[in-house]
């Protein structure tokens, strides 16, 4: 006797094979049978003596819950454990701790500063009362989110705990301290290491530091997930760095939100994919994730030269509030930072820290610059100073042709790169698209290239 039969759907079982039409029999919270089960007594009759309930799935796809391999819902799940925007598109598991930022390890005395500097954690609606990955996982268990959660440990988080936000290389002693924190986080249940090399303080690390930390993953079957140092002019060199630090020892490499950034590089996704294919052919275990929309998103402060970001958000804001502290920085921003050259008329503001600045959301930097009678770069720096460094923007970051090519590639994994909230959740008064949709938009590609299988294998490890 089944509690539920889902009948007549196109079943994609996550094995990597083609879909097939069939039924799914469920007992309790387990799949008990898969295939052709007892048909209904008559056409259009949804009753079945072998089941308490029957769902007609004709014309629909029946699949395992999707794994969102790149999420930033680390703390939003504590504030809103229902995770509606994930559940409504079929996501049942999310991987957090991406882009070098994880919810631990963070000392109690550093929590408030990290909450501000980490940017991904500056949400309201939760109390930060943990310090370790084990304690964070316990808080998640107590919140009982509607989805399963796995976490990476972030390189930015490790570096902030040991070196702080300083613009310098780590000493051997500091490297050893970061390594110990990483090993403890892995023992506490973290499933890999992430980096965010355009963010502070990770941008101050050299390749030697990354290699030393990645080596801790050797033999564990856990991966290195990297937000590369550059996605524009030096994308290939940045990929080479990531491939080098995972080559010896051999550690699985996951490239975060891969795409050639900057309009000068649009249409070159094929060249980047060829680089990965050639590396894969030599035996490297590498893949990448990609969002299916054309606009990106992130902190406006990424456009500020790294030397001005040393010391963290508080230090940056203090510098920007000093008389005469912006002119030279504005000039550097126009020249580009880490290959990022902003087009101010396309830098759409999607998030602010203070409700007093909610009217900025939905406008571009150029819009506000015109209203203020300033150069756009000066306005950008002014907004950061006024909003305590919390402004986020979403420029058009890639063309449709590149997105389609990346999504269709067998090494590509579609992801949300967002945070699940209630479906009507808003940032700064405007609905943010990244909270809904990527798995709906890219599900056909996922089924075609067998992504579910690769994700399942990673989770099983």
């Amino acid at each position: 006797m089944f509690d539920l039969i889902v009948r007549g759907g196109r079943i994609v079982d996550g094995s990597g094979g083609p879909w097939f039409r069939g039924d799914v029999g469920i007992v309790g919270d387990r799949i008990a049978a898969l295939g052709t089960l007892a048909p209904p007594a008559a056409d259009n009759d949804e009753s079945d003596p072998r089941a308490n309930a029957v769902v007609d799935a004709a014309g629909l796809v029946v699949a395992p819950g999707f794994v969102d391999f790149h999420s930033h819902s680390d703390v939003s799940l504590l504030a809103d454990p229902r995770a509606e925007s994930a559940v409504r598109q079929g996501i049942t598991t999310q991987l957090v701790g991406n882009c070098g930022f994880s919810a631990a390890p963070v000392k109690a005395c550093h929590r408030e500063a990290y909450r501000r500097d980490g940017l991904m954690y500056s949400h309201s609606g939760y109390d930060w009362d943990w310090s370790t990955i084990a304690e964070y996982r316990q808080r998640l268990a107590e919140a009982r989110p509607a989805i399963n959660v796995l976490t990476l440990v972030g390189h930015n988080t490790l570096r902030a705990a040991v070196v702080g936000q300083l613009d310098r290389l780590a000493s051997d002693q500091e490297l050893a301290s970061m390594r110990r924190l990483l090993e403890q986080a892995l023992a506490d249940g973290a499933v890999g290491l992430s980096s965010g090399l355009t963010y502070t303080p990770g941008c101050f690390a050299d390749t030697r530091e990354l290699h030393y930390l990645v080596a801790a993953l050797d033999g564990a079957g856990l991966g290195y997930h990297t937000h590369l140092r550059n996605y524009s002019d030096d994308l290939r060199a940045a990929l080479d760095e990531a491939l080098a630090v995972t080559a010896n020892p051999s550690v699985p490499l996951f490239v975060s939100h891969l795409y050639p950034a900057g309009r000068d590089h649009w249409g070159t996704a094929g060249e980047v994919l060829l680089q990965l294919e050639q590396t894969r052919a030599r035996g490297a275990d590498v893949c990448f994730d990609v969002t299916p929309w054309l606009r990106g998103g992130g902190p406006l402060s990424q456009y500020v030269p790294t030397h001005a970001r040393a010391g963290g958000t508080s230090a940056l804001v203090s510098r920007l509030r000093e008389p005469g502290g912006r002119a030279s920085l504005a000039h550097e921003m126009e020249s580009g930072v880490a290959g990022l050259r902003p087009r101010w008329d396309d830098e759409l503001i999607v998030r602010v820290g203070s409700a007093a600045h909610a009217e900025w959301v939905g406008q571009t930097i150029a819009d506000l610059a015109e209203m203020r009678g300033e150069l756009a770069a000066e306005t950008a720096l002014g907004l950061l100073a006024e909003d305590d460094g919390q402004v986020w923007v979403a420029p058009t970051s890639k063309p449709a042709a590149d997105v389609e090519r990346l999504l269709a590639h067998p090494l590509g994994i579609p992801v949300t790169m967002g945070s699940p909230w209630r479906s009507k959740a808003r940032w700064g008064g405007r609905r943010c698209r990244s909270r809904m949709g990527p798995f709906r938009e890219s599900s056909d590609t996922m089924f075609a290239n067998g992504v579910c299988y690769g994700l399942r294998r990673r989770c099983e490890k």
Side-chain angles (χ1 to χ4, degrees):
M1 184 70 179
F2 298 107
D3 293 314
L4 174 68
I5 290 179
V6 181
R7 170 165 285 121
R10 294 170 54 192
I11 297 176
V12 181
D13 63 7
S15 68
W19 70 269
F20 59 94
R21 195 171 305 282
D23 311 320
V24 180
I26 298 171
V27 177
D29 60 358
R30 298 284 180 178
I31 295 174
L34 192 65
T36 302
L37 306 179
D43 290 343
N44 301 319
D45 183 356
E46 294 188 358
S47 64
D48 190 319
R50 298 182 59 193
N52 293 327
V54 175
V55 171
D56 181 9
L60 303 176
V61 170
V62 182
F66 298 138
V67 180
D68 179 6
F69 227 46
H70 189 133
S71 170
H72 291 290
S73 58
D74 309 51
V75 294
S76 65
L77 288 170
L78 301 177
D80 183 14
R82 290 179 293 180
E84 284 189 42
S85 60
V87 173
R88 288 176 181 270
Q89 53 185 311
I91 296 169
T92 56
T93 300
Q94 285 193 324
L95 180 65
V96 301
N98 283 285
C99 292
F101 295 101
S102 57
V106 180
K107 296 178 181 178
C109 59
H110 295 161
R111 287 172 188 164
E112 286 307 311
Y114 182 73
R115 188 168 180 167
R116 184 187 191 191
D117 290 337
L119 298 173
M120 318 291 183
Y121 303 98
S122 56
H123 307 295
S124 59
Y126 73 98
D127 296 320
W128 198 314
D129 55 3
W130 66 87
S131 297
T132 66
I133 287 290
E135 291 168 352
Y136 166 68
R137 294 182 70 211
Q138 180 59 36
R139 283 284 278 112
L140 276 175
E142 292 167 359
R144 300 184 64 189
I147 57 178
N148 305 306
V149 184
L150 302 170
T151 186
L152 303 166
V153 58
H155 168 243
N156 289 325
T157 310
L158 297 173
R159 201 172 211 275
V162 175
V163 185
Q165 299 282 344
L166 301 178
D167 181 2
R168 66 169 174 80
L169 299 180
S171 68
D172 289 347
Q173 182 178 358
E174 289 166 336
L175 287 174
S177 295
M178 282 190 275
R179 176 80 169 252
R180 285 193 295 271
L181 287 175
L182 171 59
E183 290 170 345
Q184 183 59 55
L186 297 174
D188 287 345
V191 297
L193 172 69
S194 76
S195 65
L197 300 176
T198 64
Y199 300 115
T200 55
C203 60
F204 305 131
D206 61 1
T207 303
R208 172 175 171 263
E209 178 176 322
L210 299 173
H211 187 274
Y212 183 75
L213 294 175
V214 168
L217 306 175
D218 183 29
L222 304 176
Y224 172 54
H225 302 241
T226 180
H227 171 131
L228 297 170
R229 205 179 289 275
N230 192 295
Y231 284 84
S232 185
D233 298 346
D234 295 323
L235 173 56
R236 290 190 178 187
L239 274 174
D240 284 339
E241 179 186 43
L243 292 165
V245 300
T246 55
N248 186 22
S250 181
V251 171
L253 172 63
F254 300 85
V255 181
S256 296
H257 41 69
L258 179 64
Y259 61 90
R263 294 175 187 255
D264 292 343
H265 304 286
W266 285 6
T268 64
E271 299 173 17
V272 178
L273 292 173
L274 178 61
Q275 184 178 359
L276 294 181
E277 290 165 359
Q278 291 172 339
T279 305
R280 181 90 172 190
R282 293 193 294 268
D285 189 355
V286 58
C287 63
F288 62 90
D289 65 53
V290 58
T291 55
W293 43 70
L294 305 186
R295 284 191 179 271
L300 177 60
S301 58
Q302 284 188 95
Y303 292 126
V304 179
T306 54
H307 66 82
R309 288 184 270 152
T313 302
S314 297
L316 169 62
V317 171
S318 294
R319 292 185 185 102
L320 296 181
R321 288 174 179 170
E322 292 176 0
R326 301 178 192 172
S328 62
L329 291 178
H331 177 73
E332 289 183 71
M333 290 170 70
E334 294 289 3
S335 299
V337 175
L340 297 173
R341 284 180 288 274
R343 293 173 60 96
W344 299 116
D345 60 352
D346 190 48
E347 295 292 338
L348 183 70
I349 299 172
V350 294
R351 175 186 172 184
V352 294
S354 170
H357 303 142
E359 71 275 5
W360 298 351
V361 177
Q363 300 187 70
T364 67
I365 301 295
D367 291 335
L368 295 179
E370 184 177 0
M371 292 171 59
R372 296 180 177 210
E374 299 175 328
L375 295 176
E378 295 174 351
T379 294
L381 293 170
L383 299 181
L384 287 170
E386 295 165 34
D387 198 53
D388 201 34
Q390 300 302 309
V391 180
W392 283 45
V393 291
T396 305
S397 55
K398 47 191 181 293
D402 279 351
V403 173
E404 292 170 4
R405 188 160 192 172
L406 291 164
L407 280 174
H409 198 275
L411 297 181
I413 304 171
V415 295
T416 67
M417 208 176 74
S419 303
W421 293 80
R422 292 179 295 274
S423 59
K424 294 183 180 179
R426 295 166 182 257
W427 271 356
R430 300 293 182 94
R431 192 165 301 182
C432 181
R433 185 183 181 196
S434 68
R435 302 198 184 282
M436 293 289 285
F439 279 76
R440 290 177 178 174
E441 293 187 34
S442 57
S443 58
D444 288 344
T445 300
M446 289 177 64
F447 296 147
N449 66 16
V451 160
C452 298
Y453 175 60
L455 292 175
R456 189 189 67 179
R457 285 195 302 150
R458 289 289 171 218
C459 293
E460 287 173 348
K461 289 183 178 181

